[in-house]
Amino acid sequence: MLFYIFAVLAILSAGYMVLTRNLLYAGFSLLITLLSVAGIYVLLFADFVAVVQLMVYVGGVLVLILFGIMLSSRVRDKSVLSESGNKVWGTLVGGLILMGLCYTILHANISALPWLQTTELNVLGLQKSTVQSIGIKLMTDVVVPFELASLLLLIALMGAAYIATDKPKA
Amino acid sequence: MEAIPLEHILLLGAVLFSIGILAVITKRHAVVVLMGIELIFNAANLNLIAFSRYDPSLLQGQLFSLFVIVVAAAEAAVALAIVLRVYQHFHTANLPDIVSKENS
C-alpha cells in the first residue's frame, strides 16, 4: 500500500538525516522526508495542504536551509561536516519519548472515540477537492488569523533582512 | 481503497517527532538543529491532518496545519538570518564553540 511506502521512505530518510555527518546529505534527505510527507497528505485527502507543503517547505524553507549551510560553513577543500555530541542523552531522551508516545497511542484506543465513529470516512463525498472549501473558510471563519499570518510574514521578512545585513561597527 | 488506520499515521508522527528531538539534542551545527525543528513541525502537521480526515465539513485540522506551515516558514527565515549573523561574528556555526567563545 502506498502509505506504507511513503512512511518507510520518510522514516529512513529522517534517520539518515540524523545519522549522517555531511550537512548537504542531511539537507537532501530532509527534502526526501518532506516530499514523502506531502505524498501522505495527498493520501489523507488534504490536497491543498500537500501543495502548500511542496511550495513552502520544499521550495522555500529547504532552499533557505541550503543557503544557510553554504553560507555558514567554510566550503573550501573538504565537505561540510557536523559533529554530534550528547549522543547518550539524545538517544535516551528520544527513545523515551518514542516509547511513551507509542505506548500512549497503542493503549488509548483512539479508533473507539465516539466522534471518530460517527463520522463518515469518505469526507469529501461528491466534492473532489478541498481547495474550494478551504478558500471559503479562509475568507469567512478564519479571516483574522489569515490577515495576522500575512502580517507575521511581512514582519519576519523585514526582520530577517534587517538582521542579516552588515551593520557598520559602532 | 480501504482507509489507512489512524494509529499507523499517529505512530509515523511519533517516530518523526522523536527523530526531530534526537537531531535537536545531538547535532552541533545550528542549521541541523533547525532541520530537526522542521521535522517536529511536520510530525505535528501529520497528526492534525490525520484527525482532520474525520472532520468532514469543517476542515479545521487542515486550516491549523496551514497556519503552522506559515509560522514555520517565518521562523526558518528569521532563524537562518540569526545563524548567518552569528557566523559572521564568531566565524563558526557550531553551538558548543559559540558558547565557549561567548564565555571566554
Side-chain angles (χ1 to χ4, degrees), chain A residues 3-4 11 14 18 20 23 26-27 34 40-41 44-46 49 53 57 64 69 71-74 82-85 90-91 98 105 110-111 116 119 121 123 133-134 137 145 156 160 163 165-166, chain B residues 2-4 6-12 18-19 22 25-29 31-32 35 38 41-42 45-46 49 53-54 58-59 62-63 65-67 69 72-74 80-81 84-85 87-88 91:
Chain A
F3 168 72
Y4 296 101
I11 292 174
V18 178
T20 185
L23 274 181
L34 295 178
I40 292 173
Y41 288 168
L44 294 177
F45 308 106
V49 186
Q53 165 103 355
Y57 266 114
L64 267 180
I69 290 172
L71 290 176
S72 72
S73 314
R74 296 191 182 90
S82 155
E83 304 297 324
S84 43
T91 316
L98 180 62
I105 290 168
I110 293 173
S111 297
L116 294 188
T119 51
L121 202 56
V123 294
S133 45
I134 282 184
K137 286 276 168 206
I163 291 172
T165 46
D166 276 327
Chain B
E2 73 265 35
I4 306 160
L6 185 58
E7 278 88 358
H8 295 179
I9 306 168
L10 296 184
L11 283 178
L12 173 65
S18 318
I19 293 176
L22 188 61
I25 294 178
T26 58
K27 288 297 176 176
R28 286 192 181 164
H29 200 281
V31 178
V32 189
M35 286 158 64
E38 301 296 330
F41 278 131
N42 267 285
N45 273 342
L46 201 60
I49 286 178
R53 191 174 51 153
Y54 296 93
L58 295 174
L59 292 174
Q62 296 192 18
L63 286 170
S65 67
L66 283 177
F67 288 117
I69 289 175
L80 280 167
L84 290 187
R85 196 73 198 146
Y87 178 73
Q88 287 174 4
H91 298 289

Coordinates of all heavy atoms in Angstrom, one line a residue, chain A residues 3-4 11 14 18 20 23 26-27 34 40-41 44-46 49 53 57 64 69 71-74 82-85 90-91 98 105 110-111 116 119 121 123 133-134 137 145 156 160 163 165-166, chain B residues 2-4 6-12 18-19 22 25-29 31-32 35 38 41-42 45-46 49 53-54 58-59 62-63 65-67 69 72-74 80-81 84-85 87-88 91:
Chain A
F3 N 0.7 4.2 1.3 CA 1.0 4.9 2.6 C 2.2 4.3 3.3 O 3.1 5.0 3.7 CB -0.2 4.8 3.5 CG 0.1 5.2 4.9 CD1 0.3 6.6 5.2 CD2 0.2 4.3 6.0 CE1 0.6 7.0 6.5 CE2 0.5 4.7 7.2 CZ 0.7 6.1 7.5
Y4 N 2.4 3.0 3.3 CA 3.5 2.4 4.0 C 4.8 2.6 3.2 O 5.9 2.8 3.9 CB 3.2 0.9 4.2 CG 2.0 0.7 5.1 CD1 0.8 0.3 4.5 CD2 2.1 0.9 6.4 CE1 -0.3 0.2 5.3 CE2 1.0 0.7 7.2 CZ -0.2 0.4 6.7 OH -1.3 0.2 7.5
I11 N 10.7 7.7 7.2 CA 11.4 7.4 8.4 C 12.9 7.1 8.1 O 13.8 7.6 8.8 CB 10.8 6.1 9.1 CG1 9.4 6.5 9.6 CG2 11.7 5.6 10.2 CD1 8.7 5.4 10.2
A14 N 14.6 10.4 7.3 CA 14.8 11.2 8.5 C 15.9 10.6 9.4 O 16.7 11.3 10.0 CB 13.5 11.3 9.3
V18 N 19.6 12.3 10.6 CA 20.3 12.4 11.9 C 21.6 11.7 11.9 O 22.6 12.2 12.5 CB 19.3 11.7 13.0 CG1 20.0 11.7 14.3 CG2 18.0 12.4 13.0
T20 N 23.9 11.0 9.4 CA 25.0 11.4 8.6 C 25.7 12.6 9.2 O 25.1 13.4 9.9 CB 24.5 11.7 7.2 OG1 25.6 12.0 6.4 CG2 23.6 12.9 7.2
L23 N 26.6 17.7 6.1 CA 25.4 18.6 6.1 C 24.6 18.6 4.9 O 23.4 18.7 4.9 CB 25.9 20.1 6.4 CG 26.2 20.4 7.8 CD1 26.6 21.9 7.9 CD2 24.9 20.3 8.6
A26 N 22.4 15.7 4.7 CA 21.3 15.8 5.7 C 20.2 16.7 5.1 O 19.0 16.4 5.2 CB 21.8 16.5 7.0
G27 N 20.6 17.8 4.4 CA 19.6 18.7 3.7 C 18.8 17.9 2.7 O 17.6 18.0 2.6
L34 N 10.3 15.5 3.4 CA 9.2 16.4 3.2 C 8.4 16.0 2.0 O 7.1 16.1 2.1 CB 9.8 17.8 3.0 CG 10.5 18.4 4.2 CD1 11.1 19.8 3.8 CD2 9.6 18.6 5.3
I40 N 1.9 11.6 1.7 CA 0.9 11.1 2.7 C -0.3 12.1 2.8 O -1.4 11.7 3.0 CB 1.6 10.9 4.0 CG1 2.6 9.7 3.9 CG2 0.7 10.6 5.1 CD1 3.5 9.5 5.0
Y41 N 0.0 13.4 2.8 CA -1.1 14.4 2.8 C -2.1 14.1 1.7 O -3.3 14.2 1.9 CB -0.6 15.8 2.7 CG 0.2 16.3 3.9 CD1 0.9 17.5 3.9 CD2 0.1 15.6 5.1 CE1 1.6 17.9 5.0 CE2 0.8 16.1 6.2 CZ 1.5 17.2 6.1 OH 2.2 17.7 7.2
L44 N -4.3 11.4 2.5 CA -5.3 11.7 3.5 C -6.3 12.8 3.1 O -6.8 13.5 3.9 CB -4.5 12.2 4.8 CG -3.6 11.2 5.5 CD1 -2.9 11.8 6.6 CD2 -4.5 10.0 6.0
F45 N -6.5 12.9 1.8 CA -7.5 13.8 1.3 C -7.2 15.3 1.6 O -8.1 16.1 1.8 CB -8.9 13.5 1.7 CG -9.3 12.1 1.5 CD1 -9.3 11.2 2.5 CD2 -9.6 11.6 0.2 CE1 -9.7 9.9 2.3 CE2 -9.9 10.3 0.0 CZ -10.0 9.4 1.1
A46 N -5.9 15.6 1.7 CA -5.6 17.0 2.0 C -4.7 17.6 0.9 O -3.5 17.8 1.0 CB -4.8 17.1 3.4
V49 N -3.2 21.2 1.3 CA -2.1 21.3 2.2 C -0.8 20.6 1.6 O 0.3 21.1 1.9 CB -2.5 20.6 3.6 CG1 -1.4 20.8 4.6 CG2 -3.7 21.2 4.1
Q53 N 2.6 22.4 1.2 CA 3.8 21.8 1.7 C 4.9 21.8 0.7 O 6.1 22.1 0.9 CB 3.5 20.4 2.2 CG 4.7 19.5 2.4 CD 5.0 19.3 3.8 OE1 4.4 19.9 4.7 NE2 6.0 18.5 4.1
Y57 N 7.6 24.4 2.0 CA 8.7 23.7 2.6 C 9.8 23.3 1.6 O 10.9 23.7 1.7 CB 8.2 22.4 3.3 CG 8.0 22.6 4.7 CD1 6.7 22.5 5.2 CD2 9.0 22.8 5.6 CE1 6.5 22.6 6.6 CE2 8.8 23.0 6.9 CZ 7.5 22.9 7.4 OH 7.3 23.1 8.7
L64 N 16.2 27.9 1.7 CA 16.8 28.7 2.8 C 17.8 27.9 3.6 O 18.9 28.4 3.9 CB 15.7 29.2 3.7 CG 15.1 30.5 3.4 CD1 14.0 30.8 4.5 CD2 16.1 31.6 3.5
I69 N 23.4 26.4 5.0 CA 24.6 25.5 5.0 C 25.7 26.1 4.2 O 26.9 26.1 4.7 CB 24.1 24.1 4.5 CG1 23.1 23.5 5.4 CG2 25.3 23.2 4.3 CD1 22.5 22.2 4.9
L71 N 26.4 29.2 3.4 CA 27.0 30.4 3.9 C 27.6 30.3 5.3 O 28.4 31.2 5.6 CB 25.9 31.5 3.9 CG 25.5 32.0 2.5 CD1 24.3 33.0 2.6 CD2 26.6 32.6 1.8
S72 N 27.2 29.3 6.1 CA 27.6 29.3 7.4 C 28.7 28.2 7.6 O 28.9 27.8 8.7 CB 26.5 29.0 8.4 OG 26.1 27.7 8.3
S73 N 29.3 27.8 6.5 CA 30.4 26.8 6.7 C 31.5 27.1 5.6 O 31.2 27.7 4.6 CB 29.9 25.4 6.4 OG 28.7 25.2 7.1
R74 N 32.7 26.8 6.0 CA 33.8 27.1 5.0 C 33.8 25.9 4.1 O 34.1 24.8 4.4 CB 35.1 27.2 5.8 CG 35.1 28.4 6.7 CD 36.5 28.6 7.1 NE 36.6 29.7 8.0 CZ 36.4 29.6 9.3 NH1 36.2 28.5 9.9 NH2 36.5 30.7 10.1
S82 N 29.3 18.0 10.3 CA 28.7 18.4 11.5 C 28.9 17.3 12.5 O 28.3 16.2 12.4 CB 27.2 18.7 11.3 OG 26.5 18.6 12.6
E83 N 29.7 17.6 13.5 CA 29.9 16.6 14.6 C 28.6 16.5 15.4 O 27.8 17.5 15.5 CB 31.0 17.0 15.5 CG 32.3 17.2 14.7 CD 32.8 15.9 14.1 OE1 32.6 14.8 14.7 OE2 33.3 16.0 13.0
S84 N 28.4 15.4 16.1 CA 27.3 15.3 17.0 C 27.8 15.1 18.4 O 28.8 14.3 18.6 CB 26.3 14.3 16.6 OG 27.0 13.1 16.2
G85 N 27.2 15.7 19.4 CA 27.6 15.4 20.8 C 26.3 15.0 21.6 O 25.2 14.9 21.0
G90 N 20.9 12.2 24.1 CA 20.0 12.4 23.0 C 19.2 11.1 22.7 O 18.0 11.1 22.5
T91 N 20.0 10.0 22.6 CA 19.3 8.7 22.3 C 18.4 8.3 23.4 O 17.3 7.8 23.2 CB 20.4 7.6 22.1 OG1 21.4 8.2 21.3 CG2 19.8 6.4 21.4
L98 N 9.8 8.4 22.3 CA 9.2 7.5 21.3 C 8.4 6.4 22.0 O 7.3 6.1 21.6 CB 10.3 6.9 20.4 CG 9.8 6.0 19.3 CD1 8.8 6.7 18.4 CD2 10.9 5.4 18.5
I105 N -0.3 5.9 22.2 CA -1.1 5.7 21.0 C -1.8 4.3 21.0 O -2.9 4.1 20.7 CB -0.3 6.0 19.8 CG1 0.1 7.4 19.7 CG2 -1.0 5.5 18.5 CD1 1.1 7.7 18.7
I110 N -7.8 4.8 20.2 CA -8.3 6.1 19.6 C -9.5 5.8 18.6 O -10.4 6.6 18.5 CB -7.1 6.8 18.9 CG1 -6.1 7.2 19.9 CG2 -7.6 7.9 18.0 CD1 -4.9 7.8 19.3
S111 N -9.4 4.7 17.9 CA -10.5 4.4 16.9 C -11.8 4.2 17.6 O -12.8 4.3 16.9 CB -10.1 3.1 16.2 OG -8.9 3.3 15.5
L116 N -15.1 9.9 16.3 CA -14.5 9.4 15.1 C -15.4 8.3 14.5 O -15.4 8.1 13.3 CB -13.2 8.7 15.5 CG -12.1 9.7 15.9 CD1 -10.8 8.9 16.0 CD2 -11.9 10.8 14.9
T119 N -18.6 9.7 12.3 CA -18.4 10.5 11.0 C -18.1 9.5 9.9 O -17.5 8.4 10.1 CB -17.2 11.4 11.1 OG1 -16.1 10.7 11.7 CG2 -17.6 12.6 12.0
L121 N -16.0 8.3 6.8 CA -14.6 8.4 6.4 C -14.4 9.0 5.1 O -13.4 9.7 4.8 CB -13.9 7.0 6.5 CG -12.4 7.1 6.7 CD1 -12.1 7.8 7.9 CD2 -11.9 5.7 6.8
V123 N -14.9 11.7 3.4 CA -15.3 13.1 3.9 C -15.8 13.9 2.7 O -16.6 14.8 2.9 CB -14.1 13.8 4.6 CG1 -13.8 13.1 5.9 CG2 -12.9 13.9 3.7
S133 N -13.4 24.6 -0.4 CA -13.9 24.8 0.9 C -12.9 25.5 1.8 O -13.2 26.3 2.7 CB -14.3 23.5 1.5 OG -13.4 22.5 1.3
I134 N -11.6 25.2 1.6 CA -10.5 25.8 2.4 C -10.5 27.3 2.0 O -10.3 28.2 2.9 CB -9.2 25.2 2.2 CG1 -9.1 23.9 3.0 CG2 -8.0 26.1 2.6 CD1 -7.8 23.2 2.9
K137 N -13.4 28.9 3.8 CA -13.1 29.0 5.2 C -12.1 30.2 5.5 O -12.3 30.9 6.4 CB -12.4 27.7 5.7 CG -13.4 26.6 5.8 CD -14.1 26.6 7.1 CE -15.3 25.7 7.1 NZ -16.3 26.0 8.0
P145 N -7.0 35.3 11.6 CA -5.7 34.6 11.6 C -5.0 34.7 10.3 O -3.8 34.8 10.2 CB -6.1 33.2 12.0 CG -7.3 33.2 12.7 CD -8.1 34.4 12.1
A156 N 8.5 39.0 9.6 CA 9.6 38.1 9.6 C 10.5 38.4 8.4 O 11.8 38.4 8.6 CB 9.1 36.7 9.4
A160 N 14.3 39.5 9.1 CA 15.4 38.7 8.6 C 16.3 39.6 7.8 O 17.6 39.5 7.9 CB 14.8 37.6 7.8
I163 N 18.3 41.7 10.2 CA 19.4 41.0 11.0 C 20.5 40.7 10.1 O 21.7 40.8 10.5 CB 18.7 39.8 11.6 CG1 17.7 40.2 12.7 CG2 19.8 38.9 12.2 CD1 17.0 39.0 13.2
T165 N 21.8 42.0 7.4 CA 22.6 43.0 6.7 C 23.8 43.3 7.6 O 23.8 43.2 8.8 CB 21.8 44.3 6.5 OG1 21.1 44.6 7.7 CG2 20.8 44.1 5.4
D166 N 24.8 43.8 6.9 CA 26.0 44.2 7.6 C 25.8 45.6 8.2 O 25.5 46.6 7.5 CB 27.2 44.3 6.6 CG 27.8 43.0 6.4 OD1 27.8 42.2 7.4 OD2 28.3 42.7 5.3
Chain B
E2 N -9.1 0.9 0.8 CA -9.5 1.0 2.2 C -8.8 2.1 3.0 O -7.7 2.5 2.5 CB -9.3 -0.4 2.9 CG -7.9 -0.7 3.2 CD -7.2 -1.6 2.1 OE1 -7.6 -1.4 0.9 OE2 -6.4 -2.4 2.4
A3 N -9.3 2.5 4.1 CA -8.8 3.6 4.8 C -7.5 3.2 5.5 O -7.3 2.1 6.0 CB -9.8 4.2 5.8
I4 N -6.6 4.1 5.6 CA -5.4 3.9 6.4 C -5.8 4.0 7.9 O -6.5 4.9 8.3 CB -4.4 5.0 6.1 CG1 -4.1 5.1 4.6 CG2 -3.1 4.8 6.8 CD1 -3.6 6.4 4.1
L6 N -5.9 4.9 11.7 CA -5.4 6.2 12.3 C -4.2 6.0 13.2 O -3.3 6.8 13.2 CB -6.6 6.7 13.2 CG -6.4 8.0 13.9 CD1 -6.1 9.1 12.8 CD2 -7.6 8.4 14.6
E7 N -4.1 4.8 13.8 CA -3.0 4.5 14.7 C -1.6 4.5 13.9 O -0.6 5.0 14.4 CB -3.1 3.2 15.4 CG -4.0 3.2 16.6 CD -5.4 3.0 16.3 OE1 -5.7 2.8 15.1 OE2 -6.3 2.9 17.2
H8 N -1.7 4.0 12.7 CA -0.4 4.0 11.9 C 0.1 5.4 11.6 O 1.3 5.7 11.7 CB -0.6 3.2 10.7 CG -0.9 1.7 10.9 ND1 -1.2 0.8 9.9 CD2 -1.0 1.1 12.1 CE1 -1.4 -0.4 10.5 NE2 -1.3 -0.2 11.8
I9 N -0.9 6.3 11.3 CA -0.4 7.6 11.0 C 0.1 8.3 12.2 O 1.2 9.0 12.2 CB -1.6 8.4 10.4 CG1 -2.3 7.7 9.3 CG2 -1.2 9.8 10.0 CD1 -3.6 8.3 8.9
L10 N -0.5 8.0 13.4 CA 0.0 8.6 14.6 C 1.3 8.1 15.0 O 2.2 8.8 15.5 CB -1.0 8.4 15.8 CG -2.4 9.1 15.6 CD1 -3.3 8.8 16.8 CD2 -2.3 10.5 15.3
L11 N 1.5 6.8 14.7 CA 2.8 6.2 15.0 C 3.9 6.8 14.1 O 5.0 7.1 14.6 CB 2.8 4.7 14.9 CG 2.1 3.9 16.0 CD1 2.1 2.4 15.7 CD2 2.8 4.1 17.3
L12 N 3.6 7.0 12.9 CA 4.6 7.7 12.0 C 4.9 9.1 12.5 O 6.1 9.5 12.5 CB 4.0 7.7 10.6 CG 4.8 8.5 9.6 CD1 6.2 7.8 9.3 CD2 4.1 8.7 8.3
S18 N 10.3 12.0 17.3 CA 11.4 11.5 18.1 C 12.7 11.8 17.4 O 13.7 12.2 18.0 CB 11.3 10.1 18.5 OG 10.0 9.8 18.9
I19 N 12.7 11.5 16.0 CA 13.9 11.8 15.3 C 14.2 13.2 15.3 O 15.4 13.6 15.3 CB 13.7 11.2 13.8 CG1 13.6 9.7 13.9 CG2 14.9 11.6 12.9 CD1 13.4 9.1 12.5
L22 N 15.8 14.0 18.5 CA 17.2 13.5 18.5 C 18.1 14.4 17.8 O 19.2 14.7 18.3 CB 17.1 12.1 17.9 CG 18.4 11.2 17.9 CD1 18.8 11.0 19.3 CD2 18.2 10.0 17.2
I25 N 18.8 17.5 19.9 CA 19.7 17.3 21.0 C 21.1 17.0 20.6 O 22.0 17.6 21.1 CB 19.1 16.2 21.9 CG1 17.8 16.7 22.5 CG2 20.1 15.9 23.1 CD1 17.2 15.6 23.4
T26 N 21.3 16.1 19.6 CA 22.6 15.7 19.4 C 23.4 16.5 18.5 O 24.7 16.6 18.6 CB 22.6 14.2 18.9 OG1 21.9 14.2 17.7 CG2 22.0 13.3 19.8
K27 N 22.8 17.2 17.5 CA 23.6 17.8 16.5 C 24.3 19.1 17.0 O 23.7 19.8 17.8 CB 22.8 18.1 15.3 CG 22.4 16.9 14.5 CD 23.7 16.2 14.0 CE 23.3 14.9 13.3 NZ 24.5 14.3 12.7
R28 N 25.4 19.4 16.5 CA 26.2 20.6 17.0 C 26.0 21.8 16.0 O 26.3 22.9 16.5 CB 27.6 20.3 17.2 CG 27.8 19.4 18.4 CD 29.3 19.3 18.7 NE 29.5 18.5 19.9 CZ 30.6 18.0 20.3 NH1 31.7 18.2 19.5 NH2 30.8 17.3 21.3
H29 N 25.8 21.5 14.8 CA 25.7 22.6 13.8 C 24.3 23.2 13.9 O 23.3 22.5 14.0 CB 25.9 22.1 12.4 CG 26.3 23.1 11.5 ND1 25.4 24.0 10.9 CD2 27.5 23.5 11.0 CE1 26.0 24.8 10.1 NE2 27.3 24.6 10.1
V31 N 22.4 24.8 11.9 CA 21.4 24.6 10.8 C 20.8 23.2 10.9 O 19.6 23.0 10.6 CB 22.2 24.7 9.4 CG1 21.2 24.5 8.3 CG2 22.7 26.1 9.3
V32 N 21.5 22.2 11.4 CA 20.9 20.9 11.5 C 19.9 20.9 12.6 O 18.9 20.2 12.6 CB 22.0 19.8 11.7 CG1 21.4 18.4 11.7 CG2 23.1 20.0 10.7
M35 N 16.8 22.0 11.1 CA 16.2 21.0 10.3 C 15.4 20.0 11.2 O 14.4 19.5 10.9 CB 17.3 20.2 9.5 CG 17.8 21.0 8.4 SD 19.4 20.5 7.8 CE 19.1 18.9 7.2
E38 N 12.2 21.6 12.0 CA 11.2 21.5 10.9 C 10.6 20.1 10.9 O 9.4 19.9 10.6 CB 12.0 21.7 9.5 CG 12.6 23.0 9.4 CD 11.6 24.2 9.4 OE1 10.5 23.9 8.9 OE2 12.0 25.2 9.8
F41 N 7.8 20.0 13.4 CA 6.6 20.7 12.8 C 5.9 19.8 11.9 O 4.6 19.7 11.9 CB 7.0 21.9 12.0 CG 7.2 23.1 12.9 CD1 8.4 23.9 12.7 CD2 6.3 23.5 13.8 CE1 8.6 25.0 13.5 CE2 6.5 24.6 14.6 CZ 7.7 25.4 14.4
N42 N 6.6 19.0 11.1 CA 6.0 18.1 10.1 C 5.2 17.0 10.8 O 4.1 16.6 10.4 CB 7.0 17.5 9.2 CG 7.1 18.3 7.9 OD1 6.2 18.3 7.1 ND2 8.1 19.2 7.9
N45 N 2.0 18.4 12.1 CA 1.1 18.6 11.0 C 0.4 17.3 10.5 O -0.7 17.3 10.2 CB 1.8 19.2 9.8 CG 1.8 20.7 9.9 OD1 1.0 21.3 10.6 ND2 2.7 21.3 9.2
L46 N 1.2 16.3 10.6 CA 0.7 14.9 10.2 C -0.4 14.5 11.1 O -1.5 14.0 10.6 CB 1.9 13.9 10.2 CG 1.7 12.7 9.4 CD1 1.6 13.0 8.0 CD2 2.9 11.8 9.6
I49 N -3.6 16.6 10.3 CA -4.3 16.2 9.1 C -4.9 14.9 9.3 O -6.0 14.6 8.7 CB -3.3 16.3 7.9 CG1 -3.1 17.8 7.7 CG2 -3.9 15.7 6.7 CD1 -2.2 18.1 6.6
R53 N -9.2 14.3 8.8 CA -10.0 13.5 7.9 C -11.3 13.1 8.4 O -12.3 12.8 7.7 CB -9.1 12.2 7.6 CG -9.6 11.3 6.5 CD -8.7 10.2 6.3 NE -8.3 9.5 7.5 CZ -7.9 8.3 7.5 NH1 -7.9 7.6 6.4 NH2 -7.6 7.7 8.7
Y54 N -11.5 13.1 9.8 CA -12.7 12.7 10.4 C -13.6 13.9 10.6 O -14.6 13.8 11.3 CB -12.5 12.0 11.7 CG -11.8 10.7 11.5 CD1 -10.4 10.6 11.6 CD2 -12.5 9.5 11.2 CE1 -9.7 9.4 11.5 CE2 -11.8 8.3 11.1 CZ -10.5 8.3 11.2 OH -9.8 7.1 11.0
L58 N -15.8 20.8 8.4 CA -15.1 22.0 9.0 C -13.7 22.1 8.5 O -13.3 23.2 8.3 CB -15.2 21.8 10.5 CG -16.6 21.9 11.1 CD1 -16.6 21.6 12.5 CD2 -17.2 23.3 10.8
L59 N -13.0 21.0 8.4 CA -11.6 21.1 7.9 C -10.7 21.9 8.8 O -9.8 22.6 8.3 CB -11.5 21.6 6.5 CG -12.1 20.8 5.3 CD1 -12.0 21.5 4.0 CD2 -11.3 19.5 5.2
Q62 N -6.9 20.9 8.8 CA -6.1 21.4 7.7 C -5.8 22.8 7.7 O -4.7 23.3 7.4 CB -6.8 21.0 6.4 CG -7.0 19.5 6.2 CD -7.4 19.2 4.8 OE1 -7.3 20.0 3.9 NE2 -8.0 18.0 4.7
L63 N -6.8 23.6 8.2 CA -6.5 25.1 8.3 C -5.4 25.3 9.3 O -4.5 26.2 9.1 CB -7.8 25.8 8.7 CG -8.8 25.9 7.6 CD1 -10.1 26.4 8.1 CD2 -8.3 26.9 6.6
S65 N -3.0 23.3 10.2 CA -1.7 22.9 9.7 C -1.2 24.0 8.7 O 0.0 24.2 8.6 CB -1.8 21.6 9.1 OG -2.6 21.6 7.9
L66 N -2.1 24.6 8.0 CA -1.7 25.7 7.0 C -1.0 26.8 7.8 O 0.1 27.3 7.4 CB -2.8 26.2 6.3 CG -3.3 25.4 5.1 CD1 -4.5 26.0 4.5 CD2 -2.2 25.2 4.1
F67 N -1.6 27.2 9.0 CA -1.0 28.3 9.8 C 0.3 27.8 10.4 O 1.2 28.6 10.5 CB -2.0 28.8 10.8 CG -3.1 29.6 10.2 CD1 -4.4 29.1 10.3 CD2 -2.8 30.7 9.5 CE1 -5.4 29.8 9.7 CE2 -3.8 31.5 9.0 CZ -5.2 31.0 9.1
I69 N 2.4 25.8 9.0 CA 3.4 25.9 7.9 C 3.9 27.3 7.7 O 5.1 27.6 7.6 CB 2.8 25.3 6.6 CG1 2.7 23.8 6.7 CG2 3.7 25.6 5.4 CD1 2.0 23.1 5.5
A72 N 6.1 28.3 10.5 CA 7.4 27.6 10.4 C 8.3 28.3 9.3 O 9.5 28.4 9.5 CB 7.2 26.1 10.0
A73 N 7.6 28.7 8.3 CA 8.4 29.4 7.2 C 9.0 30.7 7.8 O 10.2 31.0 7.6 CB 7.5 29.7 6.0
A74 N 8.2 31.5 8.5 CA 8.7 32.7 9.1 C 9.8 32.5 10.1 O 10.8 33.1 10.1 CB 7.5 33.5 9.7
L80 N 17.5 31.5 10.3 CA 18.7 31.4 9.4 C 19.4 32.8 9.3 O 20.6 32.8 9.2 CB 18.3 30.9 8.0 CG 18.1 29.4 8.1 CD1 17.4 28.9 6.9 CD2 19.5 28.7 8.2
A81 N 18.6 33.9 9.4 CA 19.3 35.2 9.4 C 20.2 35.3 10.7 O 21.3 35.8 10.6 CB 18.3 36.3 9.3
L84 N 23.3 33.2 10.3 CA 24.3 33.9 9.4 C 25.0 35.0 10.2 O 26.2 35.2 10.1 CB 23.7 34.4 8.2 CG 23.2 33.4 7.2 CD1 22.7 34.1 5.9 CD2 24.3 32.5 6.9
R85 N 24.2 35.8 11.0 CA 24.8 36.9 11.7 C 25.8 36.3 12.8 O 26.9 36.9 12.9 CB 23.7 37.6 12.5 CG 24.0 38.9 13.0 CD 24.2 39.9 11.8 NE 24.9 41.0 12.3 CZ 25.8 41.7 11.5 NH1 25.9 41.4 10.3 NH2 26.4 42.7 12.0
Y87 N 27.4 33.5 12.6 CA 28.6 33.0 11.9 C 29.5 34.1 11.5 O 30.7 34.0 11.6 CB 28.1 32.2 10.6 CG 29.3 31.7 9.9 CD1 30.0 30.6 10.3 CD2 29.6 32.3 8.7 CE1 31.1 30.1 9.6 CE2 30.7 31.8 7.9 CZ 31.4 30.7 8.4 OH 32.5 30.3 7.7
Q88 N 29.0 35.3 11.1 CA 29.8 36.4 10.8 C 30.6 36.9 12.0 O 31.7 37.3 11.9 CB 29.0 37.5 10.2 CG 28.5 37.3 8.8 CD 27.6 38.4 8.3 OE1 27.4 39.4 9.0 NE2 27.1 38.2 7.1
H91 N 32.6 33.4 13.5 CA 33.3 32.6 12.5 C 33.1 31.1 12.7 O 34.0 30.3 12.3 CB 34.8 32.9 12.4 CG 35.0 34.3 12.0 ND1 34.8 34.8 10.7 CD2 35.5 35.4 12.7 CE1 35.1 36.1 10.7 NE2 35.5 36.5 11.9

